[in-house]
Structure formats: structure tokens, C-alpha cells
Amino acid sequence: MSKNITKSSIDWVKLEKLVPPEQKGSYMAFKAKSENYLRRVLANPPTAPAINWEEYKKIVPVPGLVDKLMSEYQNLKIPYPEDKYTAEVDKQWASLETEIKSFCATMQQDIQKSQGELNRINSLPRFDEITMEMYAEMYPKEAIHFVEKPSFWPHSADEQLGYKDPTAKAEH
């Protein structure tokens, strides 16, 4: 017996958009298995076929056997499993939903901050157009000041006059 199912409860298009590219094969296998199961269920009639008990009473020679089978068949109740987990899953989802929203808000702030930094970087002059004076104006702490503190090329600390190696032993 199967219920008349008119529409799948799964939105396959929406679900496919959420599947990462590396898991598309597993997703397609799952979808095919689900559709195969649905086809098998829909192939069955919605109700059990009617049994002609009078015909069986004429054929079966044991008295009372057909009546006994008929009463047992009519009293047969196939238990449907009780849904114990939907409420628990909904409760977990409700607790996760607040975490997801706070995470999304934090990520949105990070995105806006990063976008501001990208806008700042994009507003800078191109590397081949910038001069030492422009760099000194934009970044006074990082710029090399030749007048206040003369420096020799390659402008690293170990190439300057009066450099002392910090790893060398101190002389007494």
C-alpha cells in the first residue's frame, strides 16, 4: 500500500545549489536512489487489494479457517514508527540558528572591513607612478628620511654606519 504522493517534499533544485562541487557525484547517486524508491512506492496501489473471502470459503475444506484468517486480517495493524527525532532536531536547529546568525553578522562586518581596505588600496597611486616623496607623505613612519637619518643602499640595518651585530659577544 502506498499513499498518493503528488509532489516530492524535497526541493531538489534548491538542494543541488547547496551541494559542493566535489560532492556532486554522491548527491546525484542519492537523488537517483530517492527517485527510484519513489517510483517503486508509486507503483503500488494506495489501498490494499480487496480479498473475496466468499470465494475462499467455497475452496478451503477446513471449516472456520477462512473466518479466522479474515478476522485476523481485518484486525491486523501494521505499526508505523513513532517520530521521536523531529522535535529534537527542531530544538537543535533553533539553538544553531542564533549561532549561525551571529556568525553571519560577524562575517558581514569582516567583509565590510575588508572591502574598505580594498577600496583604500585601490585608491593608492599605481606602483610605477608613486615617488619617494609621495610615499613619505603617505607613510611617514615607514619612509626613509635621508636628511634626518641618512641611510646607505640597500637601506638595511646591517649595512649602515655604526652597526653592531646583536648576536656578537660584547667586548670587555
Side-chain angles (χ1 to χ4, degrees):
M1 294 188 300
S2 72
K3 294 189 328 187
N4 284 336
I5 301 172
T6 57
K7 181 182 173 193
S8 175
S9 62
I10 300 172
D11 187 357
W12 291 107
V13 175
K14 185 177 178 183
L15 184 61
E16 187 172 359
K17 290 177 185 174
L18 300 174
V19 175
E22 64 272 4
Q23 295 180 358
K24 287 286 186 188
S26 298
Y27 165 76
M28 295 308 283
F30 169 72
K31 183 178 176 188
K33 192 178 277 190
S34 177
E35 288 174 352
N36 187 22
Y37 174 73
L38 182 63
R39 270 190 237 105
R40 285 191 353 237
V41 168
L42 291 177
N44 297 323
T47 60
I51 298 174
N52 187 354
W53 296 106
E54 296 303 319
E55 189 69 31
Y56 281 109
K57 285 181 185 179
K58 293 177 189 173
I59 299 172
V60 176
V62 179
L65 179 64
V66 175
D67 292 329
K68 181 181 174 190
L69 288 174
M70 182 173 76
S71 67
E72 287 182 13
Y73 181 77
Q74 290 172 345
N75 292 333
L76 176 67
K77 301 283 187 232
I78 299 173
Y80 189 76
E82 181 184 340
D83 183 10
K84 303 175 191 175
Y85 302 107
T86 300
E88 188 176 326
V89 169
D90 290 342
K91 189 170 79 172
Q92 286 178 353
W93 175 251
S95 68
L96 282 175
E97 204 167 19
T98 57
E99 291 179 35
I100 291 170
K101 286 181 182 178
S102 68
F103 176 77
C104 288
T106 304
M107 289 300 108
Q108 192 62 38
Q109 290 173 351
D110 288 349
I111 289 170
Q112 290 173 351
K113 191 171 153 183
S114 299
Q115 190 62 45
E117 183 64 16
L118 281 174
N119 292 339
R120 185 192 68 78
I121 290 171
N122 290 334
S123 69
L124 293 174
R126 289 187 10 209
F127 180 75
D128 57 351
E129 294 175 352
I130 197 166
T131 63
M132 293 295 281
E133 291 82 12
M134 291 168 70
Y135 183 83
E137 279 183 32
M138 288 189 288
Y139 305 103
K141 292 182 180 177
E142 291 87 14
I144 300 170
H145 299 282
F146 297 107
V147 177
E148 294 93 27
K149 188 177 175 188
S151 175
F152 298 101
W153 187 88
H155 308 291
S156 58
D158 59 338
E159 294 294 329
Q160 304 309 311
L161 293 176
Y163 173 75
K164 293 184 180 160
D165 187 5
T167 59
K169 292 186 176 183
E171 294 179 16
H172 294 349

